[in-house]
Amino acid sequence: MTPELLKLIAAQICLHAAMTGLRLAGPLLALQQGYSAAAVGLLIALFALTQVFLALPAGRFADRHGLKRPLMLSVIAASVGTALVAVVSWFSVMCLAALMTGGATGAAVIALQRHVGRAAADPVQLKKVFSWLAIAPAVANFVGPFCAGLLIDHAGRTPADLPGFRIAFAALALLPLAGWFFARKTPELPRVSLPAGGARPRAWDLLRESMFRRLLFVNWLQSSAWDVHAFVLPILGHERGLGASVIGSILGAFAIAAAVIRIVLPLVASRASERSVIAASTVVTALVFAVYPLLSSALAMGVCSVVLGFALGAVQPMVMSMLHQITPHARHGEALGLRLMVINASSVAMPMLFGSVGALIGVAGVFWLVGGAVALGARAVWGLQLPRHDQSL
């Protein structure tokens, strides 16, 4: 890992942690103010909603302007949005902050992924840099909520009073500024322009490429498996009589495993192709989903959670590596934006679908249905091919 990549990872952690911290603190304050669970659900959904609509424009903006300008605007939006809640702690302001920080995080991720992908010298290095970069969200998912929770409980006069929440929001507003401090000296890469004289391509034209469609479908399947595990496992654990701390530990084991595999991937990047890693993940995911509903002990479910974390955690770096190799260099930002839009739209819609389906066929049925869909998607995985005429960057 180079010092420059380490600074970019730190920048992403800071920006992402501001969002995840707000995603914990905002709903807690809303509940304390007497808002319903439905209102809190809407607030949480807003973090992903902005990314659905801003992903494509953010991708095009990154293609035109590189890394620093999109990152600077993201830092401003995230800091201002979080600081607003520290000053005016109304529910409507929390909703606005959720939109701003969610959109800022998505735009920053696109710019960072585009930059590190273009900076990679060859496909092996692509797999390595995306494996390292994928560690950032896992770290941020711990840092943001942990810091926010600590300040909420201990920074005020009494635990969870309004001054404690405001101090937590103010501290979260400083994190994006710290991210800019890490990334501000990163040199821009040379701009890649579209061929002159032709009509400006539309982002949806990327979907005409069969390999891009196939890769997007495979990524969506794996992302849906991730979402169903996070959403349905607490329900399954409750049905098995497990306590909240035990269920939280099982989900925590999944997150740790997903982070660990991303640390290991750079060490094997030269010996494993993207397709083989994704194919292995698909098989393991389908098998784990078939077994999960049959388990009753916390230990067995924890083992399955760790195995699933290893499988699903390995997918994103491989998908990102393939995406950069099968799309035109001048349109990497658009491709990343389209991918992020699809994944976030799925994350907004899938929990509602899972809940409805679960009411009809039960929690076990949801696991088996998604596992079957992942298994059927193995054929699409095996059809993934990198362009033979350009295996280097």
Side-chain angles (χ1 to χ4, degrees):
M1 185 190 300
T2 64
E4 181 182 310
L5 179 59
L6 184 59
K7 290 178 182 178
L8 293 178
I9 291 171
Q12 185 179 351
I13 290 172
C14 290
L15 265 163
H16 203 100
M19 182 192 72
T20 56
L22 181 62
R23 198 166 57 192
L24 170 78
L28 287 178
L29 181 57
L31 289 170
Q32 191 180 93
Q33 292 174 344
Y35 286 92
S36 66
V40 170
L42 171 64
L43 174 60
I44 293 173
L46 293 178
F47 285 95
L49 187 63
T50 323
Q51 297 184 34
V52 176
F53 297 102
L54 286 185
L56 277 176
R60 296 192 191 102
F61 192 80
D63 281 333
R64 292 196 302 270
H65 299 288
L67 172 68
K68 288 187 180 178
R69 189 177 296 183
L71 192 59
M72 181 179 62
L73 294 175
S74 297
V75 165
I76 292 171
S79 289
V80 170
T82 314
L84 282 174
V85 190
V87 177
V88 185
S89 303
W90 299 343
F91 182 77
S92 58
V93 178
M94 283 187 263
C95 290
L96 176 62
L99 291 169
M100 293 177 70
T101 56
T105 303
V109 165
I110 290 171
L112 287 165
Q113 289 174 341
R114 178 185 178 276
H115 180 87
V116 300
R118 288 198 57 219
D122 54 57
V124 172
Q125 192 176 7
L126 261 180
K127 288 180 280 186
K128 289 182 178 181
V129 297
F130 279 122
S131 297
W132 288 121
L133 193 64
I135 297 171
V139 175
N141 284 335
F142 170 78
V143 171
F146 177 78
C147 293
L150 202 64
L151 290 171
I152 289 168
D153 282 342
H154 300 288
R157 292 184 293 271
T158 59
D161 62 1
L162 185 57
F165 274 101
R166 285 181 166 166
I167 292 171
F169 291 134
L172 292 173
L174 297 176
L175 284 175
L177 299 177
W180 177 251
F181 172 81
F182 287 118
R184 72 190 192 285
K185 293 185 179 179
T186 303
E188 289 282 7
L189 298 173
R191 181 178 176 181
V192 180
S193 301
L194 292 167
R200 179 173 179 79
R202 298 173 300 173
W204 299 108
D205 293 338
L206 291 168
L207 294 175
R208 295 179 181 175
E209 299 295 329
S210 61
M211 206 52 59
F212 182 80
R213 290 198 310 270
R214 187 182 294 268
L215 183 63
L216 204 60
F217 172 70
V218 168
N219 194 193
W220 172 77
L221 273 180
Q222 302 284 346
S223 176
S224 296
W226 190 303
D227 289 339
V228 76
H229 181 256
F231 179 76
V232 181
L233 177 64
I235 302 173
L236 182 66
H238 179 73
E239 287 186 355
R240 300 295 188 268
L242 303 181
S245 60
V246 175
I247 295 172
S249 298
I250 295 172
L251 286 172
F254 172 87
I256 292 171
V260 167
I261 194 63
R262 290 170 178 177
I263 297 173
V264 174
L265 277 176
L267 305 178
V268 299
S270 60
R271 293 187 286 273
S273 69
E274 293 91 343
R275 185 176 66 176
S276 63
V277 172
I278 298 173
S281 169
T282 300
V283 173
V284 172
T285 299
L287 291 175
V288 170
F289 269 62
V291 173
Y292 232 130
L294 305 177
L295 305 176
S296 57
S297 74
L299 178 60
M301 293 174 70
V303 170
C304 272
S305 184
V306 169
V307 173
L308 190 64
F310 285 144
L312 293 178
V315 171
Q316 180 180 326
M318 301 299 109
V319 168
M320 301 305 299
S321 174
M322 293 197 78
L323 183 145
H324 272 74
Q325 294 178 72
I326 66 176
T327 54
H329 289 195
R331 305 187 66 189
H332 282 168
E334 276 187 308
L336 290 166
L338 188 57
R339 171 193 167 273
L340 189 65
M341 184 187 72
V342 170
I343 297 304
N344 278 284
S346 176
S347 295
V348 171
M350 285 296 124
M352 294 183 286
L353 178 61
F354 295 150
S356 301
V357 173
L360 293 174
I361 64 176
V363 176
V366 174
F367 270 105
W368 290 329
L369 181 64
V370 175
V374 171
L376 291 174
R379 182 177 180 181
V381 174
W382 200 247
L384 290 173
Q385 298 286 345
L386 291 174
R388 296 183 179 181
H389 62 276
D390 185 14
Q391 290 293 323
S392 65
L393 300 177

